[in-house]
Amino acid sequence: MPVSIKDIAKEAGVSPSTVSRALNNHPHISDETKASVQNLAKSMGYVPSVLARGLVAKRTATIGVAITDLADPYYSRLMLGIEDAAAAHKYQVVLSSYYRNAERELTLVHDFHMRRMDGLIITGSEIEESYTSANKKLFMPIVLVNRPNYPFSV
């Protein structure tokens, strides 16, 4: 089982909030306490939880990308650009393909939303309904790329 901030706090004899502040170099924690907690965390094998950090920060630094077909060279090149841009801004990319299946596309959008992605990029969507109404319900930016017959401009 992974080591938690509570485990470190118990071992160090301090509160979990003190451990959190020490691990994040908070200015109101003494250098001695920071060093002690950080050394203890390292010796215990502590690894920060990206999920927990995302809950606190209300951002996951993750972008979901739904592409039409993994085998299409156009989308391979597009993914290289998306990943380069994401990495430059310290974002991770989660990729999935829906193979021009509208039901699977909607499932991916729903799944990405449930995983609290910071935004979505959807390529080649042929869904007739507007993503602007979905965007309001999902509370995240959605970018449509290479969408045939796009009926409106945003």
Side-chain angles (χ1 to χ4, degrees):
M1 192 151 151
V3 175
S4 71
I5 284 179
K6 289 181 182 179
D7 298 330
I8 298 167
K10 184 176 179 180
E11 187 72 26
V14 297
S15 71
S17 61
T18 299
V19 171
S20 176
R21 289 183 182 118
L23 293 173
N24 289 299
N25 290 314
H26 194 280
H28 293 109
I29 303 296
S30 72
D31 290 339
E32 181 182 331
T33 301
K34 282 181 196 176
S36 173
V37 168
Q38 289 171 358
N39 288 334
L40 182 58
K42 186 176 181 177
S43 71
M44 292 176 71
Y46 173 73
V47 176
S49 168
V50 174
L51 295 174
R53 205 169 265 182
L55 288 172
V56 172
K58 296 188 179 175
R59 66 180 284 278
T60 60
T62 307
I63 299 169
V65 180
I67 67 171
T68 312
D69 187 351
L70 290 169
D72 186 326
Y74 168 79
Y75 293 114
S76 298
R77 289 189 306 276
L78 180 65
M79 279 309 302
L80 288 172
I82 290 171
E83 287 184 323
D84 285 348
H89 292 83
K90 298 187 184 218
Y91 273 77
Q92 295 294 314
V93 175
V94 174
L95 170 66
S96 194
S97 183
Y98 64 92
Y99 302 102
R100 296 210 186 276
N101 178 313
E103 185 176 323
R104 181 163 165 79
E105 177 183 343
L106 292 174
T107 299
L108 285 175
V109 170
H110 177 72
D111 289 350
F112 284 158
H113 179 250
M114 288 179 52
R115 286 172 171 68
R116 301 297 191 250
M117 301 286 172
D118 291 339
L120 302 177
I121 299 172
I122 303 169
T123 67
S125 177
E126 293 181 1
I127 294 177
E128 293 298 321
E129 65 191 52
S130 164
Y131 265 106
T132 57
S133 60
N135 207 355
K136 291 174 187 170
K137 292 177 190 169
L138 297 176
F139 304 107
M140 69 175 63
I142 298 174
V143 176
L144 300 174
V145 177
N146 199 28
R147 182 172 191 261
N149 303 318
Y150 195 53
F152 60 92
S153 59
V154 180

